[in-house]
Amino acid sequence: MRVIVSSTAPGLEQHQGTDLLCVVRALLKKIRRRVLVGDRVLVGAVDWTDRRGMIEDVFERRSEVVDPPVANVDRLVVLFSLDQPQPEPATLTRFLVEAESTGIPFVLAFNKVELADDQIISYWRDRLKNWGYDPLFLSVDQRSGLSALEEMLEGQTTVVVGPSGVGKSSLINALRCNQNISEEDPIHQLLEQNSKWFGEQRVGPVSKKSGKGKHTTRHVSLLPIVDGGFLADTPGFNQPSLMKVTKRGLAETFPEIRKMLEENESSGCLFNDCVHLGEHGCVVKGDWERYPYYLQLLDEIKIRESFQLRTFGTKREGDVRYKTGAMGVKQAEPRLQLKKHRRVSRKKLNQSILDEMDSDMDDLDDDYQFGVSRRTSKR
């Protein structure tokens, strides 16, 4: 993994801004401590000449995105296109639900407005307004509508998500082009090192046969920009997993349901665990466009939660315990399972052997008595 040095020990300040190619400490893998793109990490065993090191610990995350796996995200950009490929309401709903579930501020944007007429743009603007969103409409090709997004980048870590082919990499290239980086900027040192991060991201055409995008970006890249911000280019995918969305929390990811609950705040639903399926006393009605999508997602989450309950149960001891070290720093270490890792005591082992011998003697006595009884009966 590649790490940008943001702070160093006294006397090594000249290395701030350097990028290091690092391996992950074996202990972190043993305790299943995954290192994500965007993590703040502690690096040791640094070789400043070859710019290499080892990731020894991961600091606590302030936020985390599952699809794609990125940590410490300040903002999400959910990007779709008005054409090539056209937006699908079911897919768009899944992306919006995933973004809502993270609790991270996000903006919905539509690219390729040059391929659509004013009627289509107006149609989607009004439709999304009924959903509870105010989307941005932009054109990467014509460099229009980008100013609103540029204001979000300063000092922010922004993740661009969306299906393949909507122009995520093209948007990032447009937002990062013509950057005037001063020599005082820490990123200037990366530029002098000929870092590949300052090259343009690969883009690909939309498939003529299916009308959908092709997977051009194959890994998550955190790309530095001026003023201390970062942009994450992520692989396109059409089905977010929604693994963090629960049956009880799904309703909170739909602005339409939130609005109905706010309008009926005084009365509210009759039951606290209402999932808004037309239960007695439910204030959420089914006369809104995305209600069928809500029902589909609710069924999907119920099936997943039922499977997880059967597979893992409700109680599961953690694999990691935390130990407070020097300076009050908490360090993670693997939790040993006593039955698997502790050696059986010699006393307990000897006792088990004696018990086994006694059991064998009892079996011999039973066999002897059984034989005597059989011989007696024959007489």
Side-chain angles (χ1 to χ4, degrees):
M1 296 192 174
R2 196 170 294 273
V3 179
I4 298 178
V5 178
S6 60
S7 61
T8 60
L12 298 173
E13 291 82 1
Q14 70 274 17
H15 296 293
Q16 292 185 11
T18 303
D19 65 303
L20 303 174
L21 187 62
C22 298
V23 296
V24 180
R25 187 183 179 188
L27 175 63
L28 296 181
K29 298 178 182 179
K30 185 180 294 185
I31 64 177
R32 300 175 186 176
R33 193 85 173 272
R34 189 181 180 190
V35 183
L36 301 181
V37 173
D39 267 327
R40 296 183 67 249
V41 298
L42 179 66
V43 178
V46 179
D47 181 353
W48 296 109
T49 303
D50 293 333
R51 301 210 308 272
R52 292 181 177 273
M54 180 172 62
I55 297 176
E56 296 184 346
D57 203 357
V58 182
F59 292 96
E60 185 178 357
R61 297 165 183 150
R62 64 177 183 272
S63 63
E64 180 179 342
V65 180
V66 178
D67 291 326
V70 184
N72 300 317
V73 179
D74 298 310
R75 189 177 300 276
L76 293 173
V77 176
V78 180
L79 185 66
F80 273 69
S81 61
L82 289 177
D83 201 359
Q84 298 182 13
Q86 295 181 352
E88 298 177 356
T91 304
L92 179 55
T93 295
R94 289 188 72 95
F95 273 94
L96 292 173
V97 168
E98 180 80 4
E100 292 271 10
S101 67
T102 63
I104 300 172
F106 72 94
V107 60
L108 174 61
F110 281 88
N111 187 24
K112 304 182 182 180
V113 295
E114 74 278 2
L115 302 179
D117 54 30
D118 293 339
Q119 185 176 357
I120 294 178
I121 297 174
S122 178
Y123 165 77
W124 277 105
R125 179 180 285 110
D126 295 340
R127 188 176 184 180
L128 268 297
K129 187 176 181 180
N130 291 331
W131 291 13
Y133 298 101
D134 184 19
L136 298 176
F137 293 90
L138 52 91
S139 172
V140 174
D141 265 1
Q142 298 180 355
R143 297 287 198 274
S144 64
L146 301 181
S147 57
L149 284 179
E150 289 175 341
E151 295 177 0
M152 303 177 188
L153 302 182
E154 186 174 348
Q156 301 277 309
T157 297
T158 305
V159 176
V160 183
V161 299
S164 299
V166 297
K168 297 187 298 297
S169 297
S170 298
L171 173 63
I172 290 175
N173 288 338
L175 293 173
R176 297 176 69 233
C177 71
N178 300 326
Q179 298 187 93
N180 298 318
I181 304 176
S182 64
E183 293 185 2
E184 290 77 17
D185 197 306
I187 298 178
H188 186 270
Q189 187 172 352
L190 290 177
L191 186 61
E192 288 182 338
Q193 295 168 1
N194 296 320
S195 175
K196 63 179 181 180
W197 296 340
F198 285 88
E200 289 195 348
Q201 298 300 99
R202 268 184 77 228
V203 297
V206 174
S207 172
K208 295 181 179 179
K209 184 176 182 180
S210 65
K212 296 184 178 181
K214 302 176 182 178
H215 297 296
T216 304
T217 303
R218 302 185 183 278
H219 60 276
V220 181
S221 300
L222 201 61
L223 309 170
I225 57 176
V226 293
D227 300 322
F230 290 90
L231 272 174
D233 192 12
T234 63
F237 50 91
N238 296 325
Q239 292 293 329
S241 65
L242 307 182
M243 292 300 294
K244 294 289 186 179
V245 185
T246 63
K247 178 178 64 177
R248 294 287 303 275
L250 178 63
E252 290 296 320
T253 64
F254 282 82
E256 302 97 320
I257 296 181
R258 296 201 301 264
K259 182 180 179 181
M260 294 182 203
L261 293 175
E262 289 174 1
E263 291 174 349
N264 297 274
E265 187 176 1
S266 57
S267 58
C269 291
L270 185 61
F271 302 102
N272 292 330
D273 59 349
C274 181
V275 291
H276 315 301
L277 291 177
E279 298 94 335
H280 174 66
C282 179
V283 300
V284 177
K285 308 303 179 184
D287 55 351
W288 44 289
E289 180 187 355
R290 292 202 297 166
Y291 188 60
Y293 299 139
Y294 171 75
L295 298 180
Q296 292 174 9
L297 294 178
L298 187 61
D299 286 341
E300 177 185 325
I301 294 171
K302 282 182 177 179
I303 294 172
R304 188 199 71 212
E305 290 184 347
S306 176
F307 173 78
Q308 290 174 339
L309 183 62
R310 293 196 307 269
T311 305
F312 303 111
T314 57
K315 294 183 179 179
R316 188 181 182 187
E317 188 177 27
D319 299 323
V320 179
R321 69 175 182 175
Y322 292 91
K323 182 178 179 182
T324 303
M327 308 276 303
V329 178
K330 289 186 177 181
Q331 296 176 341
E333 61 180 28
R335 185 190 299 275
L336 300 181
Q337 298 181 19
L338 301 182
K339 292 182 180 179
K340 290 186 177 181
H341 298 277
R342 278 197 175 178
R343 186 178 65 182
V344 179
S345 67
R346 188 174 300 173
K347 180 179 178 181
K348 190 173 182 179
L349 182 62
N350 292 338
Q351 185 63 46
S352 64
I353 294 174
L354 291 175
D355 292 341
E356 190 173 345
M357 290 176 64
D358 290 341
S359 177
D360 292 341
M361 292 299 294
D362 291 339
D363 292 340
L364 288 174
D365 291 341
D366 292 341
D367 292 342
Y368 175 75
Q369 293 176 2
F370 180 70
V372 171
S373 64
R374 287 187 61 186
R375 287 193 294 271
T376 304
S377 63
K378 286 181 180 179
R379 291 178 184 176

mmCIF file with all atom_site columns, all heavy atoms in Angstrom, residues 7 34 70 112 128 154 176 216 232 246 274 285 293:
data_model
loop_
_atom_site.group_PDB
_atom_site.id
_atom_site.type_symbol
_atom_site.label_atom_id
_atom_site.label_alt_id
_atom_site.label_comp_id
_atom_site.label_asym_id
_atom_site.label_entity_id
_atom_site.label_seq_id
_atom_site.pdbx_PDB_ins_code
_atom_site.Cartn_x
_atom_site.Cartn_y
_atom_site.Cartn_z
_atom_site.occupancy
_atom_site.B_iso_or_equiv
_atom_site.pdbx_formal_charge
_atom_site.auth_seq_id
_atom_site.auth_comp_id
_atom_site.auth_asym_id
_atom_site.auth_atom_id
_atom_site.pdbx_PDB_model_num
ATOM 1   N N   . SER A 1 7   ? 3.072   13.473 9.017   1.00 0.00 ? 7   SER A N   1
ATOM 2   C CA  . SER A 1 7   ? 3.822   13.959 10.173  1.00 0.00 ? 7   SER A CA  1
ATOM 3   C C   . SER A 1 7   ? 4.922   12.962 10.496  1.00 0.00 ? 7   SER A C   1
ATOM 4   O O   . SER A 1 7   ? 4.778   11.760 10.254  1.00 0.00 ? 7   SER A O   1
ATOM 5   C CB  . SER A 1 7   ? 2.897   14.147 11.383  1.00 0.00 ? 7   SER A CB  1
ATOM 6   O OG  . SER A 1 7   ? 2.298   12.921 11.750  1.00 0.00 ? 7   SER A OG  1
ATOM 7   N N   . ARG A 1 34  ? -8.359  -4.860 8.892   1.00 0.00 ? 34  ARG A N   1
ATOM 8   C CA  . ARG A 1 34  ? -8.188  -4.536 7.478   1.00 0.00 ? 34  ARG A CA  1
ATOM 9   C C   . ARG A 1 34  ? -7.767  -3.073 7.314   1.00 0.00 ? 34  ARG A C   1
ATOM 10  O O   . ARG A 1 34  ? -8.300  -2.189 7.979   1.00 0.00 ? 34  ARG A O   1
ATOM 11  C CB  . ARG A 1 34  ? -9.493  -4.788 6.736   1.00 0.00 ? 34  ARG A CB  1
ATOM 12  C CG  . ARG A 1 34  ? -9.376  -4.692 5.233   1.00 0.00 ? 34  ARG A CG  1
ATOM 13  C CD  . ARG A 1 34  ? -10.710 -4.939 4.575   1.00 0.00 ? 34  ARG A CD  1
ATOM 14  N NE  . ARG A 1 34  ? -10.619 -4.846 3.126   1.00 0.00 ? 34  ARG A NE  1
ATOM 15  C CZ  . ARG A 1 34  ? -11.670 -4.837 2.323   1.00 0.00 ? 34  ARG A CZ  1
ATOM 16  N NH1 . ARG A 1 34  ? -12.892 -4.922 2.838   1.00 0.00 ? 34  ARG A NH1 1
ATOM 17  N NH2 . ARG A 1 34  ? -11.525 -4.752 1.023   1.00 0.00 ? 34  ARG A NH2 1
ATOM 18  N N   . VAL A 1 70  ? -13.666 2.491  1.511   1.00 0.00 ? 70  VAL A N   1
ATOM 19  C CA  . VAL A 1 70  ? -12.849 3.689  1.706   1.00 0.00 ? 70  VAL A CA  1
ATOM 20  C C   . VAL A 1 70  ? -13.133 4.215  3.112   1.00 0.00 ? 70  VAL A C   1
ATOM 21  O O   . VAL A 1 70  ? -14.284 4.197  3.569   1.00 0.00 ? 70  VAL A O   1
ATOM 22  C CB  . VAL A 1 70  ? -13.166 4.782  0.660   1.00 0.00 ? 70  VAL A CB  1
ATOM 23  C CG1 . VAL A 1 70  ? -12.236 5.976  0.828   1.00 0.00 ? 70  VAL A CG1 1
ATOM 24  C CG2 . VAL A 1 70  ? -13.053 4.237  -0.751  1.00 0.00 ? 70  VAL A CG2 1
ATOM 25  N N   . LYS A 1 112 ? -23.445 14.006 -18.620 1.00 0.00 ? 112 LYS A N   1
ATOM 26  C CA  . LYS A 1 112 ? -23.789 13.861 -20.038 1.00 0.00 ? 112 LYS A CA  1
ATOM 27  C C   . LYS A 1 112 ? -25.103 14.570 -20.399 1.00 0.00 ? 112 LYS A C   1
ATOM 28  O O   . LYS A 1 112 ? -25.945 14.032 -21.135 1.00 0.00 ? 112 LYS A O   1
ATOM 29  C CB  . LYS A 1 112 ? -23.871 12.383 -20.432 1.00 0.00 ? 112 LYS A CB  1
ATOM 30  C CG  . LYS A 1 112 ? -22.593 11.601 -20.128 1.00 0.00 ? 112 LYS A CG  1
ATOM 31  C CD  . LYS A 1 112 ? -22.682 10.154 -20.573 1.00 0.00 ? 112 LYS A CD  1
ATOM 32  C CE  . LYS A 1 112 ? -21.428 9.382  -20.212 1.00 0.00 ? 112 LYS A CE  1
ATOM 33  N NZ  . LYS A 1 112 ? -21.462 7.964  -20.636 1.00 0.00 ? 112 LYS A NZ  1
ATOM 34  N N   . LEU A 1 128 ? -36.888 13.643 -9.349  1.00 0.00 ? 128 LEU A N   1
ATOM 35  C CA  . LEU A 1 128 ? -36.006 13.538 -8.191  1.00 0.00 ? 128 LEU A CA  1
ATOM 36  C C   . LEU A 1 128 ? -36.449 14.460 -7.058  1.00 0.00 ? 128 LEU A C   1
ATOM 37  O O   . LEU A 1 128 ? -36.219 14.158 -5.881  1.00 0.00 ? 128 LEU A O   1
ATOM 38  C CB  . LEU A 1 128 ? -34.573 13.853 -8.593  1.00 0.00 ? 128 LEU A CB  1
ATOM 39  C CG  . LEU A 1 128 ? -33.692 12.669 -9.024  1.00 0.00 ? 128 LEU A CG  1
ATOM 40  C CD1 . LEU A 1 128 ? -33.519 11.695 -7.870  1.00 0.00 ? 128 LEU A CD1 1
ATOM 41  C CD2 . LEU A 1 128 ? -34.243 11.941 -10.237 1.00 0.00 ? 128 LEU A CD2 1
ATOM 42  N N   . GLU A 1 154 ? -12.195 21.383 -1.577  1.00 0.00 ? 154 GLU A N   1
ATOM 43  C CA  . GLU A 1 154 ? -11.145 22.003 -0.771  1.00 0.00 ? 154 GLU A CA  1
ATOM 44  C C   . GLU A 1 154 ? -11.085 21.382 0.620   1.00 0.00 ? 154 GLU A C   1
ATOM 45  O O   . GLU A 1 154 ? -12.031 21.472 1.404   1.00 0.00 ? 154 GLU A O   1
ATOM 46  C CB  . GLU A 1 154 ? -11.388 23.506 -0.662  1.00 0.00 ? 154 GLU A CB  1
ATOM 47  C CG  . GLU A 1 154 ? -10.266 24.243 0.041   1.00 0.00 ? 154 GLU A CG  1
ATOM 48  C CD  . GLU A 1 154 ? -10.470 25.749 0.003   1.00 0.00 ? 154 GLU A CD  1
ATOM 49  O OE1 . GLU A 1 154 ? -11.350 26.207 -0.750  1.00 0.00 ? 154 GLU A OE1 1
ATOM 50  O OE2 . GLU A 1 154 ? -9.750  26.446 0.736   1.00 0.00 ? 154 GLU A OE2 1
ATOM 51  N N   . ARG A 1 176 ? -9.339  17.654 -11.832 1.00 0.00 ? 176 ARG A N   1
ATOM 52  C CA  . ARG A 1 176 ? -7.934  17.732 -11.434 1.00 0.00 ? 176 ARG A CA  1
ATOM 53  C C   . ARG A 1 176 ? -7.045  18.369 -12.498 1.00 0.00 ? 176 ARG A C   1
ATOM 54  O O   . ARG A 1 176 ? -5.852  18.553 -12.268 1.00 0.00 ? 176 ARG A O   1
ATOM 55  C CB  . ARG A 1 176 ? -7.407  16.331 -11.119 1.00 0.00 ? 176 ARG A CB  1
ATOM 56  C CG  . ARG A 1 176 ? -8.103  15.663 -9.963  1.00 0.00 ? 176 ARG A CG  1
ATOM 57  C CD  . ARG A 1 176 ? -7.597  14.252 -9.757  1.00 0.00 ? 176 ARG A CD  1
ATOM 58  N NE  . ARG A 1 176 ? -6.239  14.254 -9.266  1.00 0.00 ? 176 ARG A NE  1
ATOM 59  C CZ  . ARG A 1 176 ? -5.236  13.576 -9.823  1.00 0.00 ? 176 ARG A CZ  1
ATOM 60  N NH1 . ARG A 1 176 ? -5.439  12.883 -10.921 1.00 0.00 ? 176 ARG A NH1 1
ATOM 61  N NH2 . ARG A 1 176 ? -4.032  13.606 -9.308  1.00 0.00 ? 176 ARG A NH2 1
ATOM 62  N N   . THR A 1 216 ? -13.634 -0.103 -16.489 1.00 0.00 ? 216 THR A N   1
ATOM 63  C CA  . THR A 1 216 ? -12.310 0.398  -16.830 1.00 0.00 ? 216 THR A CA  1
ATOM 64  C C   . THR A 1 216 ? -11.456 0.563  -15.574 1.00 0.00 ? 216 THR A C   1
ATOM 65  O O   . THR A 1 216 ? -10.307 0.150  -15.532 1.00 0.00 ? 216 THR A O   1
ATOM 66  C CB  . THR A 1 216 ? -12.426 1.747  -17.576 1.00 0.00 ? 216 THR A CB  1
ATOM 67  O OG1 . THR A 1 216 ? -13.269 1.559  -18.721 1.00 0.00 ? 216 THR A OG1 1
ATOM 68  C CG2 . THR A 1 216 ? -11.059 2.220  -18.027 1.00 0.00 ? 216 THR A CG2 1
ATOM 69  N N   . ALA A 1 232 ? -11.392 10.153 -4.651  1.00 0.00 ? 232 ALA A N   1
ATOM 70  C CA  . ALA A 1 232 ? -11.287 8.699  -4.775  1.00 0.00 ? 232 ALA A CA  1
ATOM 71  C C   . ALA A 1 232 ? -12.003 8.253  -6.027  1.00 0.00 ? 232 ALA A C   1
ATOM 72  O O   . ALA A 1 232 ? -13.210 8.484  -6.187  1.00 0.00 ? 232 ALA A O   1
ATOM 73  C CB  . ALA A 1 232 ? -11.877 8.009  -3.553  1.00 0.00 ? 232 ALA A CB  1
ATOM 74  N N   . THR A 1 246 ? -30.101 -2.111 7.868   1.00 0.00 ? 246 THR A N   1
ATOM 75  C CA  . THR A 1 246 ? -30.884 -3.078 8.630   1.00 0.00 ? 246 THR A CA  1
ATOM 76  C C   . THR A 1 246 ? -32.370 -2.929 8.308   1.00 0.00 ? 246 THR A C   1
ATOM 77  O O   . THR A 1 246 ? -32.804 -1.943 7.707   1.00 0.00 ? 246 THR A O   1
ATOM 78  C CB  . THR A 1 246 ? -30.674 -2.875 10.140  1.00 0.00 ? 246 THR A CB  1
ATOM 79  O OG1 . THR A 1 246 ? -31.156 -1.564 10.514  1.00 0.00 ? 246 THR A OG1 1
ATOM 80  C CG2 . THR A 1 246 ? -29.195 -2.988 10.490  1.00 0.00 ? 246 THR A CG2 1
ATOM 81  N N   . CYS A 1 274 ? -42.447 -0.445 13.963  1.00 0.00 ? 274 CYS A N   1
ATOM 82  C CA  . CYS A 1 274 ? -43.193 -0.471 12.697  1.00 0.00 ? 274 CYS A CA  1
ATOM 83  C C   . CYS A 1 274 ? -42.224 -0.388 11.515  1.00 0.00 ? 274 CYS A C   1
ATOM 84  O O   . CYS A 1 274 ? -41.332 0.459  11.489  1.00 0.00 ? 274 CYS A O   1
ATOM 85  C CB  . CYS A 1 274 ? -44.173 0.696  12.657  1.00 0.00 ? 274 CYS A CB  1
ATOM 86  S SG  . CYS A 1 274 ? -45.188 0.767  11.165  1.00 0.00 ? 274 CYS A SG  1
ATOM 87  N N   . LYS A 1 285 ? -48.114 5.881  4.192   1.00 0.00 ? 285 LYS A N   1
ATOM 88  C CA  . LYS A 1 285 ? -48.991 5.317  3.179   1.00 0.00 ? 285 LYS A CA  1
ATOM 89  C C   . LYS A 1 285 ? -48.165 4.810  1.993   1.00 0.00 ? 285 LYS A C   1
ATOM 90  O O   . LYS A 1 285 ? -46.987 5.129  1.844   1.00 0.00 ? 285 LYS A O   1
ATOM 91  C CB  . LYS A 1 285 ? -50.011 6.360  2.712   1.00 0.00 ? 285 LYS A CB  1
ATOM 92  C CG  . LYS A 1 285 ? -50.779 7.020  3.865   1.00 0.00 ? 285 LYS A CG  1
ATOM 93  C CD  . LYS A 1 285 ? -51.488 5.988  4.723   1.00 0.00 ? 285 LYS A CD  1
ATOM 94  C CE  . LYS A 1 285 ? -52.223 6.647  5.890   1.00 0.00 ? 285 LYS A CE  1
ATOM 95  N NZ  . LYS A 1 285 ? -52.849 5.659  6.790   1.00 0.00 ? 285 LYS A NZ  1
ATOM 96  N N   . TYR A 1 293 ? -40.057 -0.241 -4.537  1.00 0.00 ? 293 TYR A N   1
ATOM 97  C CA  . TYR A 1 293 ? -38.619 -0.477 -4.326  1.00 0.00 ? 293 TYR A CA  1
ATOM 98  C C   . TYR A 1 293 ? -38.325 -0.662 -2.836  1.00 0.00 ? 293 TYR A C   1
ATOM 99  O O   . TYR A 1 293 ? -37.480 -1.480 -2.459  1.00 0.00 ? 293 TYR A O   1
ATOM 100 C CB  . TYR A 1 293 ? -37.801 0.693  -4.876  1.00 0.00 ? 293 TYR A CB  1
ATOM 101 C CG  . TYR A 1 293 ? -37.973 0.918  -6.357  1.00 0.00 ? 293 TYR A CG  1
ATOM 102 C CD1 . TYR A 1 293 ? -38.070 2.208  -6.891  1.00 0.00 ? 293 TYR A CD1 1
ATOM 103 C CD2 . TYR A 1 293 ? -38.042 -0.151 -7.245  1.00 0.00 ? 293 TYR A CD2 1
ATOM 104 C CE1 . TYR A 1 293 ? -38.229 2.416  -8.246  1.00 0.00 ? 293 TYR A CE1 1
ATOM 105 C CE2 . TYR A 1 293 ? -38.204 0.052  -8.605  1.00 0.00 ? 293 TYR A CE2 1
ATOM 106 C CZ  . TYR A 1 293 ? -38.298 1.334  -9.093  1.00 0.00 ? 293 TYR A CZ  1
ATOM 107 O OH  . TYR A 1 293 ? -38.466 1.543  -10.445 1.00 0.00 ? 293 TYR A OH  1
#
